[in-house]
Structures are given as C-alpha cells and as structure tokens.
Amino acid sequence: MNQRIQLASIDDQRNVAAREAVRQRISWPVNLTPANVTYHSRGHVLLLGSALAVSQAASALQGRGLASLTLLTTDTAVELLATSEPLISQVLSTRQQAQLNVAGHLGAFRATVTQEDGEVLNLAQALIERDVFDVVLDMAEPEALNVAAWEIPPPGYLRLSWERQEAERSDVLESLTELVGEFDKPRYFQVNNDLCAHSSSGNVGCTRCLDVCPADAISSIQGRIESRIEIDPFLCQGVGSCTSACPTGAIEFRLPETRRQQDTLAAWLNAYREAGGDVPVLRFITHDSLEAERKAGDVTPGHVIDAPLEELGAAGHDQWLTALANGASEVRIQLHDDMPPRLSAFLEHQIAQAHALLTALGHDTARIKLLPVGANSERDALPSLTPLTESSLSFTEPNKRVRLNQVLARLAELGVPSGERHAMPAGAAYGGIKVDSAACTLCHACVSNCPTPALKSGGDTPALSFLEADCVQCGLCEQACPEDAITLEPGFLAAPARETRHICHEEAAFECISCGKPFATASTVATIKAKLANHPYFAGDAMSRLEMCEDCRVKDVWKTMARDPEAQLKV
C-alpha cells in the first residue's frame, strides 16, 4: 500500500527511454475547439489615471493608427494637441471616480458614471459619440477608481502602473496599438444544463463554478422560475477551474472533452510501464511554464512525466487521484508566478480534498503535493513510495461522477478504508443526507429536484432511497422539502455503504376507498386532509374524495353533479 522505494533499483536511463516511448505513442489531448468567438476593435482607446501618466501615454500613442484617444484623469486636466486622431480629455470629480464603472471586453467596453439624479451617463456616447470604447488602458492607482478588480482582466483591458512599471511601458503600449482589427478565439467550454446542480424549482443549489472563475465569466441567469449557468465566451479565458470544480460534469471543455485527460493519463502510465519505466511521477504544469523550462535547458529526470495544461485549473483532485489509481507513485502540481488569487485558492482547496480522501482510504497524503516556483530539487526528487498498482483502470462510462466513483473504488481496494465518515473542506461535493421519518410524507419533491440519481422513489412502493456516491451536496433536496425533513450530512464515508443504495423512509401504500388501487401514503393523505379540512369544496361527505385515487375522485364529482347540478354553485 505505502511501500518505500529501494533507491538502488531505479535506472534513470531506462525511465528516460520509457518516457520518450510514451511521448511517441500517445499525444496529450490539445485544444481543438474552433475559433468561433470574434472581437471587433476599431481602435477607440480609453486611458484612465493621473494627468501625468495619461498625458505621457497619450503622447506615446499619438500617430500610431488608433481611431481616437479619450483621456480620463483623476486630478488635473490634460492639454495635448490632437494629431492624426481625435483626442478628448475629461477630468473626473471625486464623486465621479467613485461612481465610474467599466465593463465589457475588447471592442465592447462600456464606461458609465451614475449621476446625482440617478441617471447613468455613457461616457463613450458623451465624449466620442459611440456606444463603447474598444480598448482600455488603466493606469490609475488601485484605490483611485471604483472599477472592477478583475483577477484576470478581459481581453482588451490593459493595466500599467506608469511610475512603478517603467520597464514595461513600451511593451504594454506596443501591445495596445496591435489591438485593432478582428481577433478570434475558441469558445472553450460548454454547459449541459440537464446535468447542472445550480437551480431547481426556484431554489439555488451548487455555485462552485461561480465561486472559482477568476475571469468573472460565469453568471447565474434568472429565468421565469429557474436560474441557469451561462459562460460569457468573450470573457472566458480557458482557465479550466470551473470544469474541475463542477461535480456533475455539466461544464466541460468543448474539444477535447475533459474526460480525454483521464483516458490519456491511464494510457500514458500503462505505456510507461510496458516500456520498462519505474516509479512514474505525474507532474501537472502549464504549457508556458514547460516552455520556459525548455528554453532554460532545464531537463527533468526520466521518472517525471509532464502533463501540459493551458492552466492548472484544468485538472482537479479527480484527475490527480486518477493518476494514482493508474499507477503513478506521486502527483506534483507545478505552481507558477502571477497566479490569480482565486486559482491559487482553488488549488489549495483541491489539495485539501485530495488529502482528506487519501487519508480516509488509507493512503499517504505525500502522494499529492504542490511544487513552489523554483523548487527544482522537489520537482526532480524520486518519490518516496512505490506505485499503488501496476494495472490500468478502465472507465466504463463518460459521466464525470461515475468515473470519480470508479477511481475512489479502486483506491479503496488498494488501501485500508477507515469505515468512518471523514470531514471534508467546506464546499466539497461529498456527503449524505439525514431524513426525518416522522416528518417525511414521501411527496418526492426531493427526488424531482435532485440533479443526480442520488435520490429515487420506490416505484410501486411508497419509499425514498438514497445512494451517497451520487450525492454532490448541492442542497436542492433540503430546500425543496416542504416538511423540512432533510438535512445534509457533509463528509466522505470511507465504507461500502457509500456505494450501496438504502431506503431512507418507506410506508405502506394507502389504497383508494373506492377501487382499492394504492395511490399515496397514509401520512400524505392525513396531511392533505388536515390542510383542507376547512375548504368548502371538501365539506361534509366530499372529504372522502381525498381518500380516493385521481380517477375515482373525478367520477365521484360527476356523480354528485348529476344528482345535484347546482351543487358546484354552493362552493
């Protein structure tokens, strides 16, 4: 299970050859999504900041093919002569600075100010007679303006501290002048709302994708009843943390599908073993970081196999555990500079989940670790533990949760599960439910709201069953229950009961007093009779209709009307 490695038995040359065999045989899935999002920029630029910074930047940009330069300063006015392009200057008052809002993307930035009378002033319309600006260069101090603090700014929004980033000035200004024309990019992700656990019956459940997107590209859109998740393709920059955070697979890469990574990990490790490789370590690293290492001539030892990602968020703890379940000795995640705070927090949360699961299943948490920037000795070190297995795991279904459960089942076979419920980090998609049998009427509102097969009705028998392995702890069942009979029970249950469907509550069927057909439960009929006891439609003998099935109830109404046609007028 956690056997230590005998260092003398490791042949690095053989591992290098095995790694090369893997690269030759099986390619890592690359982004094949066609470019179907187009930005149109005509070169109308908005510059924000102090008069000194704005004036110097504007002077450097004049005569370089831009359509117009609009200067919004936070202190004093700017006086520059217009050259080949229109130049408009405006000083923002202290109040206007606090009310300034900039939103949008390349070719479509709206800059607005809420005035004292509540009216919203569109600055592009007021200053250049257009609806939007195309590019924004923000040189203001962070506290000077009340603009969105994007962790990953949208395309076309450039930040530059004129005083502190003197060395970067020319590069930023040069890149700005290149943002004129048409630009295409992939629509990275797709959303399957049938799998989404975000909303049901007007209740809001899972918000994990909303919480982790550093580009603020994901929104909850309120419909007439339901909310739904939407991804703005113009803001999305392919970080991938939403796909890893989504517990049901409702969000995934368009091409290749997210599950292709899992299949490739299994195929790589199998090919590495077949080629004679020992103690493989899977390192998840970004393309940019990998390219920087190559340019620096940094060569890793043969046991380190690199899985290149667009961004580290594209692989979460389910992918890391997949590697271990397929024979990797360790998984290492190579951090890099300038990671957005929400991405860093996401990775820490994923590591905490992975470690909690490993502990629950009887494995050493040292098998998964984050690698700090520049920690070359940790990156190259031999793993301290041998692989858990030398056989590959074959996935039987494309469903993300089913695949994760297969991985956890394999790790349980290879370890010594505790048999207990283990605490998980807040927000983890693991746990059960408690059902108050005294309160539950088996109305099955929870079943109709559950986004996974975790909750099911009893079919012909009035019952409620639950399979914990499918529960993503979205809370929709808890919110939908009219009797407040359901309570979430967070935590990972390291026992066979997690994968066994059990009955939470069942009752004998209530049989129709007219035809004898079972149609409800005794508690449901009793509850309805209590709530409708004073309703005039069910006064007197009509109360017995509540003890009839739907067919007999209609027949009884028509019989009453035939005997007394004016009976319905008395209600």
Side-chain angles (χ1 to χ4, degrees):
M1 179 181 64
N2 287 318
Q3 183 180 350
R4 298 288 167 175
I5 288 177
Q6 300 298 319
L7 300 184
S9 65
I10 304 303
D11 184 339
D12 187 60
Q13 289 303 313
R14 187 174 61 192
N15 285 346
V16 170
R19 182 175 64 184
E20 186 59 29
V22 169
R23 291 173 176 170
Q24 293 295 327
R25 284 181 53 185
I26 306 162
S27 298
W28 183 257
V30 296
N31 182 19
L32 302 175
T33 307
N36 57 0
V37 175
T38 302
Y39 301 93
H40 301 273
S41 172
R42 292 170 175 78
H44 295 276
V45 180
L46 173 65
L47 291 84
L48 303 170
S50 67
L52 175 63
V54 166
S55 60
Q56 292 183 359
S59 297
L61 291 171
Q62 285 184 308
R64 302 186 65 177
L66 299 172
S68 70
L69 295 172
T70 301
L71 320 181
L72 291 185
T73 57
T74 57
D75 42 21
T76 59
V78 172
E79 295 184 3
L80 288 177
L81 295 177
T83 55
S84 58
E85 65 283 303
L87 189 147
I88 302 91
S89 177
Q90 179 70 39
V91 181
L92 293 174
S93 67
T94 302
R95 184 189 175 282
Q96 288 174 329
Q97 293 174 35
Q99 296 297 320
L100 177 65
N101 179 62
V102 179
H105 50 79
L106 178 63
F109 283 106
R110 292 180 63 85
T112 60
V113 172
T114 303
Q115 304 183 93
E116 293 184 3
D117 60 2
E119 291 292 319
V120 177
L121 175 65
N122 185 328
L123 294 178
Q125 290 179 341
L127 298 175
I128 61 173
E129 298 182 348
R130 296 183 79 248
D131 288 334
V132 294
F133 295 102
D134 295 305
V135 182
V136 176
L137 176 58
D138 185 352
M139 297 173 288
E141 293 301 315
E143 66 280 359
L145 297 175
N146 184 33
V147 296
W150 289 293
E151 293 180 16
I152 299 182
Y157 189 96
L158 309 179
R159 287 197 182 111
L160 175 65
S161 176
W162 194 260
E163 297 295 330
R164 293 191 294 272
Q165 295 180 279
E166 184 175 353
E168 289 86 359
R169 289 178 189 173
S170 59
D171 289 340
V172 173
L173 296 178
E174 181 64 29
S175 64
L176 186 152
T177 61
E178 295 173 354
L179 293 176
V180 180
E182 289 190 0
F183 304 88
D184 294 330
K185 82 170 186 67
R187 187 185 296 263
Y188 292 105
F189 303 108
Q190 57 189 359
V191 181
N192 183 346
N193 285 303
D194 290 338
L195 297 177
C196 185
H198 174 59
S199 174
S200 182
S201 299
N203 297 314
V204 173
C206 178
T207 61
R208 294 178 178 94
C209 61
L210 294 166
D211 299 336
V212 301
C213 179
D216 292 322
I218 305 178
S219 303
S220 175
I221 306 299
Q222 179 63 53
R224 292 182 60 189
I225 298 176
E226 307 289 0
S227 298
R228 68 183 185 279
I229 289 295
E230 285 191 1
I231 300 177
D232 187 333
F234 291 95
L235 297 181
C236 174
Q237 299 185 51
V239 173
S241 51
C242 57
T243 65
S244 298
C246 179
T248 64
I251 300 179
E252 67 172 4
F253 282 100
R254 291 169 62 86
L255 289 173
E257 296 87 352
T258 308
R259 58 181 176 271
R260 283 277 309 283
Q261 288 185 181
Q262 282 181 306
D263 296 334
T264 303
L265 290 174
W268 270 12
L269 290 164
N270 188 54
Y272 181 83
R273 283 189 297 271
E274 289 180 351
D278 291 321
V279 295
V281 170
L282 254 295
R283 182 173 66 137
F284 290 88
I285 182 172
T286 65
H287 287 289
D288 292 343
S289 298
L290 195 57
E291 184 61 26
E293 287 187 355
R294 288 172 179 164
K295 287 182 178 179
D298 208 351
V299 179
T300 56
H303 63 274
V304 177
I305 304 174
D306 291 324
L309 304 171
E310 294 287 339
E311 186 50 87
L312 295 179
H317 74 276
D318 58 332
Q319 305 270 342
W320 308 338
L321 294 174
T322 295
L324 297 183
N326 280 280
S329 295
E330 281 185 18
V331 170
R332 299 170 185 171
I333 301 95
Q334 182 68 65
L335 302 179
H336 60 84
D337 292 323
D338 302 321
M339 289 178 59
R342 263 185 283 187
L343 177 56
S344 297
F346 169 75
L347 290 174
E348 292 286 352
H349 191 257
Q350 291 289 302
I351 281 286
Q353 290 191 60
H355 286 177
L357 292 169
L358 287 174
T359 298
L361 297 172
H363 299 292
D364 197 320
T365 58
R367 290 189 182 274
I368 299 180
K369 63 183 68 174
L370 297 176
L371 290 178
V373 177
N376 290 358
S377 59
E378 293 182 51
R379 176 198 67 191
D380 297 342
L382 282 168
S384 58
L385 300 166
T386 59
L388 293 172
T389 181
E390 293 188 355
S391 62
S392 297
L393 178 62
S394 297
F395 294 107
T396 57
E397 292 190 35
N399 181 276
K400 178 178 181 176
R401 189 70 178 189
V402 173
R403 285 174 163 242
L404 174 58
N405 287 332
Q406 283 185 261
V407 169
L408 294 174
R410 166 64 71 87
L411 292 175
E413 293 172 4
L414 299 170
V416 183
S418 68
E420 301 174 353
R421 185 174 298 281
H422 287 249
M424 295 290 291
Y430 301 95
I433 61 172
K434 292 181 179 178
V435 177
D436 184 349
S437 296
C440 178
T441 61
L442 292 175
C443 68
H444 293 145
C446 54
V447 175
S448 61
N449 281 269
C450 182
T452 73
L455 285 168
K456 287 186 176 181
S457 59
D460 294 335
T461 304
L464 175 65
S465 68
F466 176 69
L467 179 60
E468 181 164 333
D470 286 338
C471 179
V472 297
Q473 294 286 287
C474 64
L476 289 173
C477 60
E478 185 179 42
Q479 296 182 62
C481 179
E483 312 299 339
D484 295 325
I486 296 179
T487 305
L488 296 183
E489 189 177 17
F492 179 76
L493 180 61
R498 180 178 180 273
E499 298 183 46
T500 304
R501 182 171 294 278
H502 68 275
I503 300 297
C504 300
H505 180 53
E506 62 181 337
E507 293 183 27
F510 187 93
E511 297 179 351
C512 174
I513 60 174
S514 179
C515 70
K517 181 180 80 171
F519 71 96
T521 65
S523 61
T524 299
V525 173
T527 299
I528 294 175
K529 289 175 68 175
K531 290 182 177 180
L532 298 178
N534 298 318
H535 195 289
Y537 187 80
F538 296 101
D541 294 339
M543 178 61 71
S544 62
R545 290 177 185 151
L546 296 176
E547 297 178 342
M548 299 178 186
C549 67
E550 61 276 17
D551 295 331
C552 293
R553 195 177 307 131
V554 172
K555 292 177 182 177
D556 188 68
V557 170
W558 281 102
K559 287 179 181 178
T560 302
M561 291 178 62
R563 289 194 303 268
D564 183 4
E566 297 183 1
Q568 59 180 330
L569 302 177
K570 301 175 184 177
V571 177

